Amino acid sequence: MSILLFIEQLLNGLQFGVMLFLMSAGLTLVFGVMGLINLAHGSLYMIGAFAAAAVATATGSFVLALMASLAAAALAGALIELTIIRRLYDRDHLDQVLATFALILIFSEGTRWMFGSFPLFLDVPEMLSGPVTLPGGIQYPAYRLSIIVIGLVVAAGMFALINRTRVGIRIRAGEADREMIAALGVDIAKLYTFVFALGAALAGFAGALVGAIQSVQVGMGEPVLILAFVVIVIGGIGSVKGALVGALLVGLTDTMGRFLLPQIFALFLEPSAAVSVGSALSSMLIYILMAGVLVVRPRGLYGVS
Amino acid sequence: MGRETYINIASLALLAGVPIWAWIVDEPFTITLATRAAIFALAGVGLNLALGLGGLISLGHAAFFGIGGYAMGILASHAQSYTPLMEVPFAIEGTKSMLVIWMVAIVTSALAALAIGLLSLRTSGVYFIMITLAFGQMIYYFAISWPAYGGEDGLSIYVRNDFPGLNTLVPIQFFGLCFGLLCLVLWLMSAVQKSSFGLALSAARQNETRVLSVGVEPYRLRLVAFTISGAITGLAGALFADLNRFVSPTMLSWQMSGEIIVFIIIGGVGRLFGPVIGAMVFILLEHVLGGLSEFWHVYLGALLLGIVLFAKGGVIGALAGREKAHD
Amino acid sequence: MTDVVLSTNRLFKSFGALRATNDVSLDLRKGEIHALIGPNGAGKSTLVQQITGHMMSDSGSVHLMGDDLSGKGPAARARLGLGRTFQISSLSMEHTVLQNAVLGALGRRGDVMRFLKPVMKDRALLSAAQDALARVGLAEYAAMLTADLSHGQRRQLEVAVALTLQPKVFLMDEPMAGLGLEGAQQMIALLTELRQSAPILLIEHDMDAVFALADRISVLVYGQVIATGTPEDIKVNPEIRAAYLGDEVPT
């Protein structure tokens, strides 16, 4: 096992983590501010990817595709918030789960109807399709590196938004006491739509970025959604910082686990057994991590108890 | 008798009547559909103990459905290939006896539910929902990546398993078996609902502090409910695998977890026969709407949305009105 | 003192820099109604939560009939004899009045884990529940859905459920809240009768009720008990008059 490979996997883990953060940040905010669990978040990820693929195919411009993903996802988010999600804030969690699950069905099948069952392809832009040479002589795909950079920039932007702006103050106040900020004259309806659409945009953006590495197809959002849930449980609901820490933990654990475990098992098992045991165990690793965190902190690392 | 009781009896009559008619006019496919409905109903009855009575929103119940299915698959596949599961430290042979398979399915899914419950029930609300979903997903990924039993492709069982005195390959006989089990479990659940445990569990759902104040720990109640719930859904999984003579990780997917909840919601959450009616409606929709359009899930989603927003009580709620307190 | 049933000993609880409970020692003696009064924000709810076990104190202890309750959760304390009613009604709304009372009797008996016998046909539980309902005056409402009860009736049901526990002590959190004149008078009569079963630690705002019922009054201000005494002592205490009772002390 070479150091180069190890570092490459580390960076992959970081990239995975950063993408999970984009997905989780919106989810955790929506829960923290509005008290709503949203299963349709995966659909917004998918919508962003499909919008990007469609625009990239039509215009050939990756930048336009990314903008389209943000716009389409934000729009879709705002739309469902205004029509459906708003009715769910006062309902219990079961209703929220069911209604947003229904949205998954509608969006998934609707997308399949519009685009068919075969995956679409979104190409990595020319400029970024080659490798970048990092200090130490390591070659790493430029595109993946840009995802890491973009993700960290977005994270910084989120922190600035939450901690330095008036909207951020309202978000934080809303997380602490929903009724109070309404009483203080903050336009709750607009704030909620904004938070929801922001989360949606982040998810759609993540979908577009990842769509260039993997494929764009119906159902791509739900596995990522469930991972985002794991991130939030680890990080603590409502905490963007928790989402970042949790996302990086999950991304690194998963990637490094899949890389290292089969090799570790190969030290004392025969090769085929090592691969199967290693890969089976590594597929469960992040859930074991989640379980471990829960035993010690039932509310997550940064959750408010 | 109250309206709800009439509805319950009618639903059982329908569920039994349709396959009997199909048997008379020799439409075996319809019998298979009815068997599917009965099995889904059983899975839903299991979940409903945790969800409807206990208020535990488990989004990972497919884990137990699949574990029951794989219990069947593993035991039967070893039997059909004449190889033992294990030789060291003691020999375990496969089996094609349904009774043994059901026992194993029930015990393994109960143990899984106990393990998952022990961890998840320390949390509540949204955490619980997400955690059960996550654990379900974990088991799904494990099944896909464990190559010994087919991995992603699943496992085929060539011949239906044996039940003493019956020819289980005959559709109406297998239906009878599943229907019989469903009725047995419904009867047991009816007793549980009216029991001390049922009263306390239901009270814990409505007001946890109240239950604490009379000296009862909600955690213990919920753990027991979750475990029994997993066991019942596991039994349904074993039956499902037997019906299809096939088990695959799809039985463990989040979509399956969602479907089980959908059966319950259509019928009416918390109503004993909710899953029965819900499963029948679902199978009907799947068959009829599915025949019309391959995108029928859109309509299912719209229906579900409509029920959640406008008709919370499901079919039974709409027909029978407000729930009578179970005296 | 052997007729002390419930006591708190030097309880402290802080939230960051805020001392919510500051060296509180109270006791509740057999047969008495001991009222705890204090302005909003004095820390009454925090104190109640430490006594019931919902919150852990930073230091100090709570004793019930000589048993140290430290480390025991609310359910364990209930089993040891701590009965309580809630400021905001805490009942199973979908159940009937009788079912709520039976739950209490069931908790008292302790055999919740029974799965097959119908609980509402259990003679022993039913009679305990019906007795409690009769004592609070709700006997004829037994079959009614709790959600359909009036506010005052729900308060009565709270007391009935506490009764089914046959507790050694009643901890009552603002039982008068939301009751009209007639309801308040009924509750006062009920509590007067109740003290014969077990002493009552009464957290209340309604001064008429407090002075009508209490044998002793403790005043909690900023997390500290600034005075404990008979109603007469409290009425004439100049500090308290100034700080809290103002001119509205009933004579």
Side-chain angles (χ1 to χ4, degrees), chain C residues 28-147:
Chain C
L28 183 65
R29 299 175 196 153
K30 210 150 82 165
E32 76 164 341
I33 295 184
H34 187 155
L36 182 67
I37 65 176
N40 278 325
K44 299 196 290 292
S45 338
T46 313
L47 182 62
V48 166
Q49 288 188 304
Q50 289 169 74
I51 297 176
T52 60
H54 279 104
M55 195 186 284
M56 252 177 37
S57 309
D58 295 336
S59 67
S61 62
V62 180
H63 289 257
L64 177 63
M65 303 285 285
D67 290 323
D68 187 348
L69 296 182
S70 300
K72 296 197 161 74
R77 295 184 192 207
R79 287 193 296 268
L80 283 171
L82 182 63
R84 67 170 298 190
T85 66
F86 294 83
Q87 185 178 9
I88 302 172
S89 275
S90 173
L91 299 162
S92 301
M93 288 303 178
E94 295 166 26
H95 287 166
T96 60
V97 168
L98 188 60
Q99 281 176 308
N100 270 288
V102 164
L103 181 70
L106 183 63
R108 158 113 190 114
R109 199 166 73 180
D111 60 346
V112 177
M113 295 293 187
R114 292 173 147 240
F115 300 88
L116 294 174
K117 284 180 58 187
V119 70
M120 297 309 286
K121 299 218 166 40
D122 186 315
R123 299 257 184 84
L125 292 180
L126 283 175
S127 89
Q130 279 155 347
D131 285 344
L133 289 177
R135 263 185 92 178
V136 303
L138 282 179
E140 68 254 37
Y141 296 96
M144 203 157 161
L145 222 55
T146 309

Side-chain angles (χ1 to χ4, degrees), chain B residues 188 191-192 194-197 199-200 202-203 205-207 209-217 220-221 224 228 322 325-327, chain C residues 54 74-75 78-79 86 90-96 99 103-104 106-107 112-119 145 148 158 161 165:
Chain B
L188 284 172
V192 167
K194 303 195 182 100
S195 72
S196 306
F197 175 76
L199 183 71
S202 170
R205 168 177 55 82
Q206 295 169 62
N207 200 311
T209 335
R210 164 53 57 194
V211 167
L212 282 168
S213 74
V214 301
V216 176
E217 301 273 2
R220 287 180 63 212
L221 292 170
V224 171
I228 299 176
R322 198 164 73 161
H326 305 116
D327 267 353
Chain C
H54 279 104
R79 287 193 296 268
F86 294 83
S90 173
L91 299 162
S92 301
M93 288 303 178
E94 295 166 26
H95 287 166
T96 60
Q99 281 176 308
L103 181 70
L106 183 63
V112 177
M113 295 293 187
R114 292 173 147 240
F115 300 88
L116 294 174
K117 284 180 58 187
V119 70
L145 222 55
D148 295 337
E158 288 257 343
V161 177
L165 290 177

Side-chain angles (χ1 to χ4, degrees), chain A residues 31 91 95 222 229 237, chain B residues 126-127 130 254 308-309 312:
Chain A
F31 190 76
R91 302 283 208 110
D95 288 356
E222 280 67 52
F229 281 157
I237 291 180
Chain B
V126 174
Y127 284 97
M130 297 198 278
W254 65 267
V308 171
L309 291 178
K312 250 322 282 281

